Amino acid sequence: MTEEDSSAKMSEDVERYLKLNPPCSSSSSSSAVAFANKSGTFKSSSPPCPEHVLENVLESVLQFLTSRCDRNAVSLVCKSWYRVEAQTRFEVFIGNCYSLSPARLTHRFKGLRSIVLKGKPRFADFNLMPPNWGAQFAPWVVATAKAYPWLEKVHLKRMFVTDDDLALLADSFPGFKELTLVCCEGFGTSGIAVVANKCRQLKVLDLVESEVTDDEVDWISCFPEGESPLESLSFDCVESPINFNALEGLVVRSPFLKKLRTNRFVSLEELHRLMVRAPQLTSLGTGSFSPDNAPQGEQLPDYAAAFLACKSIVCLSGFREFRPEYLLAISPVCANLTSLNFSYANISPHMLNPIIRNCHNIRVFWALDSIRDEGLQAVAATCKELRELRIFPFDPREDSEGPVSGVGLQAISEGCRKLESILYFCQRMTNEAVTAMSENCPQLTVFRLCIMGRHRPDHVTGKPMDDGFGAIVKNCKKLTRLAVSGLLTDEAFSYIGEYGKLIRTLSVAFAGNSDKALRYVLEGCPKLQKLEIRDSPFGDAGLRSGMHRYCNMRFVWLSSCVLSLGGCRDVAQALPNVVVEVFGSDGDDDDDTVTGDYVETLYLYRSLDGPRKDAPKFVTIL
Amino acid sequence: MNLKETELCLGLPGGAESVESPAKSGVGNKRGFSETVDLKLNLQSNKQGPVDLNVNGSPKEKTFLKDPSKPPAKAQVVGWPPVRNYRKNVMANQKSGEAEEAMSSGGGTVAFVKVSMDGAPYLRKVDLKMYKSYKDLSDALAKMFSSFTMGSYGAQGMIDFMNESKVMDLLNSSEYVPSYEDKDGDWMLVGDVPWPMFVESCKRLRIMKGSEAIGLGTFSFLFVSLSGSFFFPIMFLLLFHPIGFQLQERWRSSRTDHEQIKKQGQYALIFFFLVLL
């Protein structure tokens, strides 16, 4: 039977059925209904339901729907749509691993191929959370190993992953293709070795800013012999030497390799050899970028030629121990570069100038503040396509010298009008410069300014930084992420509450005067999902003002504020779907986890499955 | 090849042997990165890593909350500025690397040198200031390189775990010889000079096969053992010394040409005998 015939038959049957029965609320699983059968045979024993027709159609349509927001919306229409959506969802994103249990995931979704899991909140990166807090990958890998043997992709951020977890992953998923571990810990090179060895279809192995223990295992040699399907290999965070010959051999037999990020144990000579073997690379992490031996004179490899040969390179990073005299070797690729990461290289403006002059197409630029305001001016002059800028501090202390300031920020705002995202560490700032940026860069979606001196006012006028940040929220109408710093009063927060209607993530430190500030934000920002606050004078009243919001947020973090146990308990009791965790910054306290009434850290998040069972002793769940 | 040894295992290689580390982090047997970097290097008083949180009782700055408008005392606060530990560690490591190059005299707190071993697939780095004597250094090197077979590294990179004492014997015997490059770029035998002087002048270490070490100044000692007399070595050194320098220079320029050096040494020896006679 052709498709036309079968669909015609189906519509006849639908009409006939509808005359006899009103539309039913389908409770049986759609698979049991033969009506949806493509061959068109109609079994009179199981009455057809129009919903099941729709389900079939819906299935075909939903395949094309990939955005998770859209899928979430689809799943809320009715139970039937919920079911079909669950069957056709292949990628799931879990922003907080404790918001649901693995069992719930495997119960709802039956056909997952890709999982993105995020664990600890961001402030854990700054030692504000004691170790062993949680976010273990183990229960997830156990559950998914049983439920989704066809799983292809796992992407984890801030999770605790052990070597055993990696071994189980490698054993359980024969078709496994992509493993990305960002800011993870708990595993070592032995776990990586197992993944490399057993996942024969591995295309992506990306270790990004993770802590990888050196188990002294030569994991590079563990990739199987023969042609490799590898497309991306990033190990720049692995702080242990690697077997270079094995790496070279691997690169030679990986014709699809596009992204290679080596660690600092790969010298310039070795990098040269790799580049010669893989001219098809598009993204290169250059390792140490310094030669192994003192230059011999005559037989220096021609590094510039190697870069010239790699015509496709658009993304460069690394430069972990770079030598300035070799920096110009990257010149041949500068014109094509869209992304340049110098953020581990102590580059002066003088060194930056000849490079950046040619980088007309750069969209993403990360650097240290060693490039100074002059360097930023050079960037502003050339990089008209810049979308994302990150300036990190070379000397991350409060009272260090400040080589970048409002001058650089203003220059960037004037030169790079298409800027969308900025992270800027500095020692001092002016309201004028921040306001200028708000006016010149209307496309900003991410504005993160870190004035490293706590409570520092505008260094020219002496006033708080309220006006600057106020201008940002007012003028940047697309702003979704904001991080504030410097001397800020409640007024700044009133601006945020009034104008920050699209803000999803807000980071606050050492700011505000009273609970009013917190109230402004919680009452004013309807899209707020992630709120992280430290060392600010916010108390129980402020916390209470957000009760209506917490069920719709991913998490709220308040540390070193003025919260009391009673206030936190009130929230916990009022909101049963929200888990309220309270702990101190030391992991030591076994008995007196909360000394007296003072709450050191409050971390609350919504959860479908109640409080977690794996909380360590120092965490109290209210 | 022993199948057991080719089996991938998840524990640390060598079974019970564990590289000595300043403190064990509480997280399984994972060694925090901060432990592999000399803790003295930490230029900020903000210590990172799980170990340090327990050790460092950083002031929690509770007093300031009462009066937030006044900037508090400039004590270092945990986690501020908000730079990730990973990045902080990398920068600290780099700064120590720069310190190592900038400081020529032993005023620095660290003395990292690269160590390569003939036949091993990759280099290691050691901080000479961590050791007090040649014996300490030798033990550490033995531990470091005990995971490599001497000379044969299988195609699959399977590691043959060697007995530590065997390695030390080898290092101490004439089969493997530790040599170092000094400030002037000359390659010398380890053990020639007093330890503090060695720490200051050593720029990198190489553990080479004994056969390649001939001509480094070993030759004089071999001759000593052959002749078995005390007078000859003194005379020999006096005469050999300038030639020794010449040899070393030649060795530097054509590093692999050990045969040539051997011949040069032989000619020098003949000359010496003639002079004596």
Side-chain angles (χ1 to χ4, degrees):
Chain A
M1 247 193 206
T2 66
E3 277 208 40
E4 280 176 328
D5 290 345
S6 64
S7 60
K9 195 168 188 332
M10 271 199 268
S11 51
E12 274 175 6
D13 294 326
V14 170
E15 272 181 25
R16 198 190 321 149
Y17 181 75
L18 275 176
K19 282 182 195 151
L20 299 172
N21 302 292
C24 62
S25 58
S26 38
S27 48
S28 56
S29 64
S30 56
S31 56
V33 180
F35 197 76
N37 192 326
K38 285 208 169 98
S39 71
T41 50
F42 176 73
K43 288 191 187 144
S44 53
S45 51
S46 42
C49 210
E51 267 74 14
H52 295 147
V53 176
L54 288 174
E55 276 183 19
N56 205 33
V57 172
L58 202 56
E59 249 183 69
S60 323
V61 168
L62 284 185
Q63 278 179 73
F64 301 103
L65 211 62
T66 46
S67 145
R68 64 177 198 262
C69 294
D70 292 341
R71 283 195 158 263
N72 290 346
V74 161
S75 69
L76 291 174
V77 170
C78 66
K79 279 199 177 145
S80 159
W81 282 46
Y82 174 94
R83 248 197 348 263
V84 177
E85 194 283 315
Q87 282 159 8
T88 55
R89 195 185 293 221
F90 302 127
E91 301 173 337
V92 77
F93 171 88
I94 299 170
N96 176 6
C97 64
Y98 285 123
S99 58
L100 76 162
S101 66
R104 185 178 287 265
L105 178 76
T106 55
H107 179 75
R108 175 172 171 184
F109 299 112
K110 299 296 181 192
L112 288 183
R113 289 195 214 131
S114 154
I115 296 182
V116 178
L117 254 182
K118 292 191 179 179
K120 293 184 261 190
R122 201 176 71 95
F123 273 9
D125 290 348
F126 314 125
N127 290 344
L128 293 180
M129 187 173 247
N132 300 332
W133 173 83
Q136 322 260 1
F137 182 47
W140 293 92
V141 69
V142 165
T144 52
K146 287 201 199 84
Y148 315 117
W150 47 79
L151 196 71
E152 290 176 358
K153 173 177 162 184
V154 166
H155 178 123
L156 304 178
K157 186 165 184 181
R158 290 195 195 95
M159 298 280 300
F160 190 84
V161 184
T162 63
D163 291 328
D164 289 335
D165 298 336
L166 290 175
L168 183 59
L169 184 143
D171 271 330
S172 314
F173 307 121
F176 196 74
K177 295 204 169 80
E178 297 186 31
L179 179 66
T180 309
L181 300 174
V182 181
C183 299
C184 294
E185 57 173 357
F187 63 99
T189 45
S190 42
I192 300 300
V194 180
V195 171
N197 186 255
K198 295 208 175 153
C199 300
R200 303 266 150 164
Q201 300 195 35
L202 197 66
K203 293 204 291 193
V204 172
L205 179 60
D206 280 350
L207 307 171
V208 180
E209 293 197 26
S210 294
E211 258 194 64
V212 184
T213 324
D214 180 9
D215 301 327
E216 300 191 8
V217 168
D218 182 5
W219 57 277
I220 296 266
S221 300
C222 295
F223 281 95
E225 295 290 328
E227 191 179 272
S228 167
L230 260 187
E231 292 175 15
S232 169
L233 179 63
S234 303
F235 59 95
D236 46 355
C237 61
V238 177
E239 287 293 326
S240 53
I242 48 130
N243 181 343
F244 178 72
N245 288 331
L247 177 64
E248 199 178 359
L250 177 65
V251 167
V252 165
R253 61 182 197 275
S254 306
F256 307 107
L257 193 69
K258 288 278 188 276
K259 180 163 140 184
L260 178 65
R261 302 230 167 132
T262 61
N263 67 7
R264 64 183 176 90
F265 292 88
V266 171
S267 68
L268 200 49
E269 295 96 332
E270 290 171 342
L271 182 73
H272 180 260
R273 279 163 65 178
L274 292 175
M275 289 174 74
V276 162
R277 306 266 183 278
Q280 79 281 7
L281 287 176
T282 58
S283 173
L284 178 65
T286 60
S288 68
F289 212 75
S290 103
D292 205 17
N293 306 303
Q296 295 304 306
E298 328 89 24
Q299 280 144 11
L300 260 187
D302 192 349
Y303 298 118
F307 276 95
L308 192 61
C310 292
K311 294 187 204 329
S312 328
I313 287 186
V314 289
C315 175
L316 267 187
S317 61
F319 308 100
R320 295 295 172 109
E321 290 161 8
F322 86 110
R323 298 289 267 269
E325 56 266 32
Y326 295 104
L327 203 54
L328 284 174
I330 71 170
S331 304
V333 297
C334 284
N336 293 332
L337 277 185
T338 56
S339 169
L340 180 56
N341 183 348
F342 274 154
S343 67
Y344 294 104
N346 187 7
I347 292 189
S348 68
H350 169 70
M351 289 179 221
L352 180 69
N353 221 353
I355 307 268
I356 208 75
R357 233 180 6 217
N358 298 321
C359 296
H360 301 278
N361 288 316
I362 283 235
R363 294 184 156 221
V364 174
F365 183 58
W366 291 23
L368 288 176
D369 59 6
S370 55
I371 64 169
R372 311 186 73 91
D373 286 328
E374 297 105 275
L376 288 169
Q377 285 163 338
V379 170
T382 321
C383 308
K384 299 300 177 188
E385 296 297 317
L386 195 67
R387 302 289 196 272
E388 178 178 324
L389 176 70
R390 293 197 193 191
I391 301 295
F392 295 95
F394 175 67
D395 188 2
R397 285 180 300 166
E398 274 189 73
D399 37 19
S400 60
E401 192 226 329
V404 296
S405 68
V407 171
L409 191 72
Q410 189 148 355
I412 289 283
S413 75
E414 285 161 7
C416 309
R417 298 296 176 112
K418 300 186 187 176
L419 198 66
E420 290 172 1
S421 167
I422 181 164
L423 168 64
Y424 198 85
F425 280 85
C426 58
Q427 285 293 345
R428 65 194 73 78
M429 186 50 61
T430 59
N431 280 309
E432 190 194 343
V434 177
T435 308
M437 174 153 273
S438 75
E439 287 163 359
N440 294 332
C441 304
Q443 304 298 320
L444 272 180
T445 54
V446 174
F447 184 79
R448 298 159 69 189
L449 178 65
C450 181
I451 302 170
M452 290 194 274
R454 289 169 281 156
H455 311 283
R456 224 169 250 172
D458 179 328
H459 73 97
V460 165
T461 63
K463 287 164 69 177
M465 293 299 299
D466 298 340
D467 291 335
F469 284 104
I472 288 280
V473 285
K474 199 162 156 195
N475 299 332
C476 302
K477 308 227 180 345
K478 300 185 183 178
L479 199 73
T480 56
R481 183 169 179 183
L482 179 66
V484 299
S485 59
L487 180 65
L488 292 169
T489 68
D490 290 346
E491 201 178 338
F493 294 92
S494 74
Y495 294 142
I496 294 174
E498 193 180 338
Y499 298 106
K501 296 304 175 188
L502 294 180
I503 291 183
R504 290 171 46 91
T505 308
L506 179 64
S507 309
V508 177
F510 304 101
N513 300 128
S514 73
D515 280 329
K516 278 200 286 184
L518 187 53
R519 217 182 66 222
Y520 288 137
V521 168
L522 287 168
E523 287 174 359
C525 302
K527 301 271 181 174
L528 193 62
Q529 288 291 303
K530 299 182 271 183
L531 180 61
E532 42 189 31
I533 299 177
R534 63 167 295 185
D535 292 275
S536 301
F538 304 143
D540 299 337
L543 186 68
R544 230 170 271 131
S545 65
M547 297 264 242
H548 63 294
R549 292 278 300 126
Y550 298 141
C551 289
N552 294 327
M553 292 174 71
R554 193 182 296 175
F555 72 79
V556 174
W557 169 290
L558 280 154
S559 66
S560 300
C561 297
V562 217
L563 295 169
S564 78
L565 203 54
C568 299
R569 224 172 238 137
D570 289 345
V571 175
Q573 278 162 6
L575 302 171
N577 285 337
V578 169
V579 174
V580 179
E581 290 191 17
V582 156
F583 49 89
S585 62
D586 308 318
D588 280 345
D589 312 328
D590 267 328
D591 312 290
D592 311 335
T593 45
V594 181
T595 46
D597 209 27
Y598 176 71
V599 166
E600 176 90 54
T601 306
L602 166 79
Y603 178 53
L604 65 80
Y605 50 88
R606 65 183 165 194
S607 173
L608 292 171
D609 290 309
R612 57 191 176 114
K613 313 268 185 317
D614 65 351
K617 284 210 187 104
F618 59 82
V619 169
T620 308
I621 300 187
L622 297 174
Chain B
M1 199 186 278
N2 189 349
L3 280 178
K4 178 90 170 87
E5 285 176 334
T6 61
E7 190 184 357
L8 280 172
C9 63
L10 294 182
L12 285 174
E17 287 299 328
S18 59
V19 180
E20 117 196 58
S21 52
K24 275 280 184 205
S25 97
V27 188
N29 65 348
K30 173 178 89 78
R31 224 175 345 129
F33 176 65
S34 57
E35 295 167 31
T36 61
V37 172
D38 188 353
L39 286 175
K40 286 181 278 184
L41 285 186
N42 246 316
L43 297 177
Q44 299 90 261
S45 56
N46 283 4
K47 297 229 181 216
Q48 46 264 13
V51 176
D52 303 299
L53 267 182
N54 294 331
V55 163
N56 184 20
S58 54
K60 287 315 290 162
E61 302 279 272
K62 283 183 191 154
T63 47
F64 101 92
L65 285 171
K66 292 181 188 148
D67 196 6
S69 54
K70 287 209 189 99
K74 287 296 178 193
Q76 292 289 351
V77 173
V78 172
W80 187 262
V83 175
R84 275 195 197 136
N85 284 340
Y86 174 73
R87 182 169 286 281
K88 274 190 183 155
N89 286 339
V90 170
M91 300 317 297
N93 218 15
Q94 278 189 10
K95 282 174 193 161
S96 76
E98 282 168 16
E100 153 202 345
E101 286 175 24
M103 294 175 191
S104 48
S105 60
T109 49
V110 291
F112 275 103
V113 295
K114 290 184 187 169
V115 185
S116 62
M117 179 162 179
D118 288 359
Y122 46 79
L123 304 178
R124 306 304 299 247
K125 256 189 168 180
V126 288
D127 177 9
L128 291 178
K129 299 262 178 185
M130 274 174 65
Y131 309 108
K132 295 190 193 56
S133 67
Y134 283 114
K135 173 98 180 36
D136 285 353
L137 176 64
S138 166
D139 290 348
L141 289 179
K143 274 206 179 95
M144 214 176 269
F145 288 102
S146 64
S147 45
F148 307 127
T149 42
M150 297 308 165
S152 64
Y153 204 77
Q156 287 177 315
M158 290 305 137
I159 294 158
D160 189 3
F161 305 134
M162 287 210 48
N163 197 338
E164 202 184 282
S165 55
K166 244 203 242 171
V167 172
M168 273 164 60
D169 287 342
L170 276 171
L171 284 178
N172 292 331
S173 76
S174 57
E175 201 177 312
Y176 268 82
V177 176
S179 61
Y180 71 99
E181 184 182 10
D182 72 1
K183 281 206 200 85
D184 304 323
D186 301 328
W187 284 85
M188 320 278 272
L189 266 195
V190 169
D192 278 5
V193 299
W195 174 256
M197 208 162 111
F198 167 72
V199 171
E200 277 189 42
S201 58
C202 171
K203 270 173 55 186
R204 64 180 288 178
L205 277 163
R206 180 177 162 200
I207 303 174
M208 51 187 6
K209 291 210 173 79
S211 52
E212 296 189 1
I214 296 190
L216 280 187
T218 342
F219 204 82
S220 57
F221 292 98
L222 281 176
F223 182 70
V224 166
S225 56
L226 283 171
S227 67
S229 122
F230 286 110
F231 172 70
F232 280 141
I234 297 165
M235 288 300 298
F236 183 87
L237 279 170
L238 280 172
L239 280 163
F240 193 80
H241 206 57
I243 302 172
F245 271 121
Q246 201 188 32
L247 282 179
Q248 282 169 357
E249 256 191 55
R250 286 199 186 227
W251 189 86
R252 221 187 325 137
S253 58
S254 58
R255 280 183 193 232
T256 53
D257 205 355
H258 298 295
E259 290 306 311
Q260 195 184 11
I261 293 163
K262 249 197 209 163
K263 276 199 194 126
Q264 298 270 355
Q266 282 163 352
Y267 291 140
L269 193 59
I270 293 164
F271 170 71
F272 171 66
F273 267 121
L274 291 173
V275 162
L276 272 184
L277 295 171

